Amino acid sequence: MKRQVWVTLTLLGLLAFFPLVTAATGQPFLRDVANRVMILGLAAVSLNFILGYGGLVSFGHAAFIGLGGYVVGIFASQGLTNGPLQLVVSICVSAFFAFITGLLAIKTRGVHFIMITMAFGQMAYYGLRALKAYGGDDGLPIRRRSDFGLFTLADSLTLYYVSFTALVLGLLLAHRLASSRFGLVLIATRDNERRVVASGLNPYRFQLVAYVIAGAMAGVAGFLLANFAGFISPAVGDWTRSAQLMFMVILGGAATLAGPLIGAATYLALEEILSRFTSYWQFFFGAILLGYVLVARGGLWRDIVARLSAKDRPT
Amino acid sequence: LNTSLFAIQLFNGLQFGMMLFLFAAGLTLVFGIMDVVNLSHASFFMVGAYAGSVLAKVTGSFFLALPLTLIATALIALVIEAFVMRRLYRLNHLDHVLATFGLILMFDAGFLWWFGPDGLQINLPQSLRGRTSLGFVEIPTYRLLFIGIGLAVAIGLSLLITRTKLGMLVRAAASDRQTAELMGIDPKLVFMAVFVLGSMLAGLAGMLLTGLMEASVGMGEEIIIVAFVVIVIGGIGSLKGAFIASLLVGMIDTFGRTYLGDLFRLVMQPAMADGAAPAIASMLTYLTMALVLALKPQGLFPPVTR
């Protein structure tokens, strides 16, 4: 845990000074990439909280991002650019959706849970697509960004540091919760639910609260993403986006503090690099994903080595 | 209420339900028997659709392309089974999800590269383009064929599982793998057969759909979510549950989209009803799932063993 904290602090330190580097070298584009890393990193941190520590393989997480983003979009289109208000409503809406769907989903286990969270996520996606007054399929441009009085998110450097602050707070919350009694129950339930029940605890409540917290945190990521992109569309909440978030968490290392952030950074870096070489970059993404599972988890590498060395030594 | 419109919607719902069943049957079998969450089932749907439209064009015959498509899908399924699925059986669900999502990305990008962004469509033979009179109403012949094939597959599958040697092996391997192995059954062969069969059914559904709308990259990704809903409602691993839930979801979705607006107009202002109805209609399937789960968390027909 100690090492995780140091890795995280180093990464955050780098991110804090990154705008100075990009300004000095004249590459503001890279700062935008870093900003996306932080926003999606926050979403990945929230997913890791339930997936990594809680063992709840939630497959509809992008829906919370979509809901949080749509709050900004709908408010802005009505001329309401009050930042604190938008933020609070974003959190409430995504937390409420997490609560309602979690009530049912968390009663189930394993593959049921995967399929049900996926289905509820897709329900939100279709709900957003049906908002004809707010762009429907095409989504909604956000002409005026959130206004916090002292500052507005229209300025990209301000948005960068607001995202940074949100990420720091998200990581802090996840870290504190994971090492608290609450987090211990969550982890214990992941590892052996029967023993937790036998100890006289009700895991359902703990998991539901964790699910709501994670949903709210992803809602904040949606709030930031909408301000960052100046645009929100139902596609943000599609299930393939949920799969990407899951990929980030696993890539960086589930149930670790720095993992989701590293995963988000690796994912976006891969996307930037691969998409420059070919427009069919998703193919290589898929291959990496598949290869990762087969090699790292399925022992493909071990099997190949075993087979090769068996050939070397004739019996 | 307009009776002929109602009857047409009834058949549309039946046809949609049959497509869902063809797709969900494979998914629920693969899960129920091998305990593998297979997202790439969506890709086999797409494989069937593209193979079907290409083969129909090459051979010039829809009815010749149908079995050829099944063979093509089966061959691809064999390759995927040998290189990927076989290694996934012993991993956990999260690994299944990630690996098969990787497969989806590869299939999608590969198809986009090979076929380009434009969709493909099947030119139906003259005999399937018209309508068939059922006395009180005329139904597009192709939809009737679709429903017929779906019913035939449902009957065939249930006979296969309950009455044949293969079905017995499948049930044995599903209910207790270790004992089955000790009795001399090779579960690998059974798993392979089930995976290939399931993928062929997805391919069949894809090809049949291409007679109604264009084949496009990523076409399976919307269907697979609805299929998950079907499986959850029906009870995971249950073929009977998948059949009944498919019809239920097919009907609810079709009738919701047609009549929900009128229903809402009874209780709210027209403008509001027109705004709310499409939103609720597109979510109706999921609300049904939520209702079923609230009442029966294991689905309507939970598997007896396991």
Side-chain angles (χ1 to χ4, degrees):
Chain A
M1 203 65 190
K2 201 88 175 174
R3 203 172 121 244
Q4 280 295 322
V5 173
W6 283 113
V7 173
T8 311
L9 288 177
T10 315
L11 283 175
L12 289 175
L14 287 175
L15 282 169
F17 291 105
F18 197 65
L20 297 177
V21 180
T22 56
T25 55
Q27 287 166 307
F29 159 74
L30 280 179
R31 194 184 66 200
D32 281 350
V33 175
N35 203 338
R36 277 184 68 205
V37 167
M38 294 192 296
I39 294 171
L40 291 178
L42 178 65
V45 166
S46 71
L47 178 60
N48 181 41
F49 184 59
I50 46 173
L51 191 156
Y53 297 108
L56 296 167
V57 185
S58 165
F59 210 145
H61 214 63
F64 302 120
I65 304 181
L67 289 172
Y70 260 89
V71 169
V72 178
I74 291 171
F75 273 48
S77 74
Q78 303 292 339
L80 280 165
T81 55
N82 185 332
L85 178 71
Q86 287 182 349
L87 185 59
V88 168
V89 176
S90 284
I91 292 174
C92 291
V93 167
S94 41
F96 181 71
F97 186 68
F99 177 70
I100 294 293
T101 57
L103 274 179
L104 284 170
I106 290 176
K107 275 188 191 156
T108 64
R109 289 284 167 266
V111 71
H112 266 99
F113 186 79
I114 299 178
M115 290 185 184
I116 289 160
T117 47
M118 201 176 187
F120 279 135
Q122 208 64 0
M123 179 177 92
Y125 166 76
Y126 283 118
L128 295 176
R129 263 178 59 167
L131 292 175
K132 289 280 181 289
Y134 299 104
D137 268 349
D138 303 326
L140 185 63
I142 297 163
R143 294 206 177 75
R144 291 179 65 201
R145 308 297 160 89
S146 306
D147 187 349
F148 280 83
L150 293 172
F151 57 89
T152 102
L153 298 186
D155 177 53
S156 64
L157 191 63
T158 311
L159 178 64
Y160 184 93
Y161 282 106
V162 170
S163 309
F164 179 77
T165 314
L167 177 65
V168 171
L169 291 176
L171 280 166
L172 198 65
L173 182 71
H175 179 58
R176 296 295 304 220
L177 282 177
S179 43
S180 69
R181 182 179 172 275
F182 174 79
L184 288 179
V185 175
L186 215 54
I187 294 168
T189 310
R190 176 194 69 188
D191 293 340
N192 194 331
E193 186 171 349
R194 269 189 204 174
R195 285 194 195 169
V196 174
V197 175
S199 317
L201 291 164
N202 181 1
Y204 179 79
R205 282 200 222 152
F206 288 84
Q207 288 180 325
L208 184 59
V209 171
Y211 193 69
V212 170
I213 292 173
M217 213 190 275
V220 176
F223 168 84
L224 293 168
L225 192 67
N227 272 295
F228 175 77
F231 177 74
I232 187 80
S233 78
V236 171
D238 188 46
W239 75 264
T240 50
R241 301 297 181 102
S242 301
Q244 285 168 5
L245 281 177
M246 211 182 254
F247 185 19
M248 289 177 194
V249 172
I250 302 302
L251 197 66
T256 61
L257 185 61
L261 188 55
I262 296 172
T266 317
Y267 184 94
L268 290 173
L270 273 175
E271 185 181 282
E272 285 295 333
I273 295 164
L274 286 176
S275 61
R276 278 184 203 186
F277 288 113
T278 163
S279 44
Y280 306 108
W281 57 275
Q282 295 227 332
F283 182 87
F284 299 97
F285 236 109
I288 291 171
L289 196 48
L290 183 61
Y292 169 79
V293 175
L294 292 183
V295 174
R297 304 272 311 151
L300 181 65
W301 184 245
R302 202 181 51 218
D303 291 359
I304 290 171
V305 171
R307 201 164 284 184
L308 287 179
S309 55
K311 269 181 195 156
D312 288 347
R313 277 180 271 117
T315 44
Chain B
L1 205 68
N2 181 336
T3 27
S4 80
L5 176 70
F6 184 84
I8 287 171
Q9 293 302 337
L10 187 75
F11 278 91
N12 284 351
L14 262 177
Q15 175 264 314
F16 182 46
M18 285 305 169
M19 192 195 65
L20 283 177
F21 171 69
L22 288 178
F23 189 95
L27 206 58
T28 203
L29 278 180
V30 167
F31 181 77
I33 291 162
M34 298 182 268
D35 200 24
V36 168
V37 188
N38 177 27
L39 295 180
S40 66
H41 204 65
S43 294
F44 285 100
F45 184 69
M46 179 174 74
V47 166
Y50 274 85
S53 40
V54 169
L55 287 167
K57 193 170 271 177
V58 172
T59 61
S61 157
F62 177 83
F63 293 105
L64 194 58
L66 203 61
L68 288 177
T69 302
L70 290 179
I71 294 170
T73 319
L75 289 177
I76 295 176
L78 272 174
V79 174
I80 297 291
E81 204 277 339
F83 285 97
V84 181
M85 287 303 152
R86 206 168 280 183
R87 302 189 162 275
L88 293 181
Y89 299 144
R90 51 193 150 113
L91 303 181
N92 66 28
H93 292 145
L94 181 59
D95 292 324
H96 301 162
V97 166
L98 291 173
T100 53
F101 181 63
L103 275 179
I104 286 191
L105 292 180
M106 291 173 78
F107 267 108
D108 280 1
F111 271 55
L112 204 59
W113 173 72
W114 189 265
F115 293 101
D118 294 330
L120 294 179
Q121 199 159 18
I122 288 185
N123 275 323
L124 289 177
Q126 206 59 48
S127 57
L128 294 178
R129 281 192 208 165
R131 288 164 175 274
T132 301
S133 176
L134 293 179
F136 57 101
V137 66
E138 289 197 328
I139 304 294
T141 311
Y142 189 73
R143 287 192 194 265
L144 286 180
L145 176 78
F146 205 136
I147 295 168
I149 292 177
L151 276 176
V153 168
I155 294 167
L157 268 183
S158 82
L159 288 178
L160 182 78
I161 297 290
T162 53
R163 298 285 158 86
T164 66
K165 181 88 190 285
L166 178 70
M168 206 166 73
L169 296 181
V170 164
R171 278 180 291 142
S175 65
D176 191 337
R177 187 176 166 177
Q178 254 181 341
T179 311
E181 263 176 85
L182 288 172
M183 304 289 277
I185 297 172
D186 185 358
K188 274 188 205 142
L189 274 177
V190 175
F191 285 6
M192 191 174 75
V194 170
F195 182 78
V196 170
L197 180 68
S199 302
M200 283 166 75
L201 291 178
L204 175 64
M207 179 181 176
L208 288 176
L209 185 69
T210 318
L212 294 171
M213 55 172 74
E214 278 190 347
S216 61
V217 168
M219 62 190 290
E221 279 138 52
E222 283 194 31
I223 292 293
I224 195 169
I225 311 280
V226 186
F228 276 163
V229 171
V230 162
I231 292 175
V232 166
I233 291 179
I236 294 180
S238 162
L239 214 51
K240 185 168 103 186
F243 185 75
I244 290 171
S246 292
L247 290 183
L248 185 72
V249 168
M251 290 297 173
I252 287 178
D253 190 73
T254 308
F255 280 102
R257 280 172 211 281
T258 319
Y259 291 113
L260 206 62
D262 298 340
L263 206 64
F264 279 11
R265 274 163 180 270
L266 297 177
V267 287
M268 38 175 115
Q269 285 165 351
M272 203 175 154
D274 291 345
I280 303 293
S282 61
M283 294 194 287
L284 213 53
T285 312
Y286 304 97
L287 297 174
T288 311
M289 178 190 78
L291 184 71
V292 170
L293 279 177
L295 300 174
K296 296 191 87 171
Q298 291 296 311
L300 297 177
F301 300 94
V304 184
T305 53
R306 191 176 294 276

